[in-house]
Amino acid sequence: MNADLRVGVITKTHGIKGEVKVYPTTDSPFRFDELEHVKLKLSGKTVRELHIEGVKHFKDIVILKFKGIDNINDVEQYKGAELYIPREEGAELADGEYYIADIIDIEVITDKGDKLGVVRDVLETGANDVYIVKRYDNGKDLLLPVIPDCILDTDIENNIMTVHIMDGLMDL
């Protein structure tokens, strides 16, 4: 289980005073209004902790201003960086809800007991999420809709997801 939760990705700078545009990877972009600091990671490595000085919202983008960063040149290098918070600062989850970080790399087995692969990513489509499973047998991706008919059980503690392969899903 990951100790940190990704809450956003810096897409580009905003203006000349050191602000950045962030694509939120959390359910609510207004989550940033409650945050005091984030960890900035480049290439999976923590570069530094940044304290949030200001938050603005524009459509589905969040504009952040960090303390001590007052120039576009100071944030230019952070384009594409991911922003994380400690797990203990994550939003409280209802029963049956999981952080995406907990689903990544979970082993997927079928209801017949066959080892299928591992979840490598999650697509958020609006209607329902879709798990991208890298198959063991051929290395190709299998897209599994996150619906009760397909995802039967998710056991985070044992790192196993049990699924039912509906007709047509593996015919590709």
Side-chain angles (χ1 to χ4, degrees):
M1 219 180 273
N2 293 327
D4 294 328
L5 301 172
R6 187 175 75 170
V7 292
V9 177
I10 295 176
T11 59
K12 58 184 173 178
T13 59
H14 177 77
I16 60 170
K17 296 184 180 180
E19 293 178 315
V20 292
K21 289 185 178 184
V22 173
Y23 176 76
T25 57
T26 178
D27 283 348
S28 172
F30 295 100
R31 175 79 175 98
F32 285 91
D33 295 336
E34 303 165 10
L35 297 177
E36 294 180 18
H37 61 278
V38 292
K39 293 179 187 177
L40 183 132
K41 293 186 182 185
L42 280 169
S43 302
K45 296 179 183 173
T46 301
V47 174
R48 65 187 289 194
E49 187 169 299
L50 297 169
H51 294 273
I52 297 173
E53 185 176 283
V55 179
K56 297 183 224 171
H57 299 274
F58 181 72
K59 297 183 181 180
D60 59 347
I61 297 295
V62 178
I63 299 169
L64 296 181
K65 170 72 175 83
F66 300 113
K67 288 182 184 174
I69 298 179
D70 301 313
N71 186 307
I72 188 173
N73 298 323
D74 297 335
V75 293
E76 188 78 32
Q77 62 186 326
Y78 297 141
K79 286 184 192 175
E82 297 178 318
L83 303 177
Y84 287 80
I85 61 170
R87 177 177 286 277
E88 54 272 8
E89 292 180 21
E92 201 167 312
L93 300 175
D95 287 339
E97 289 185 331
Y98 313 99
Y99 292 116
I100 289 176
D102 295 337
I103 300 295
I104 303 299
D105 294 328
I106 196 169
E107 184 168 36
V108 179
I109 62 170
T110 69
D111 51 355
K112 296 177 182 175
D114 299 324
K115 291 186 176 187
L116 190 60
V118 295
V119 175
R120 70 167 188 84
D121 205 353
V122 178
L123 293 175
E124 298 177 70
T125 65
N128 56 268
D129 290 348
V130 175
Y131 295 151
I132 302 174
V133 177
K134 182 172 180 143
R135 292 173 51 181
Y136 289 140
D137 62 351
N138 61 14
K140 292 184 179 179
D141 288 340
L142 173 66
L143 303 178
L144 294 177
V146 182
I147 57 175
D149 289 345
C150 189
I151 309 301
L152 304 178
D153 184 53
T154 304
D155 184 349
I156 297 295
E157 288 181 23
N158 293 307
N159 202 42
I160 295 174
M161 178 184 294
T162 306
V163 301
H164 171 73
I165 302 300
M166 300 181 329
D167 290 340
L169 277 181
M170 293 194 35
D171 294 340
L172 302 174

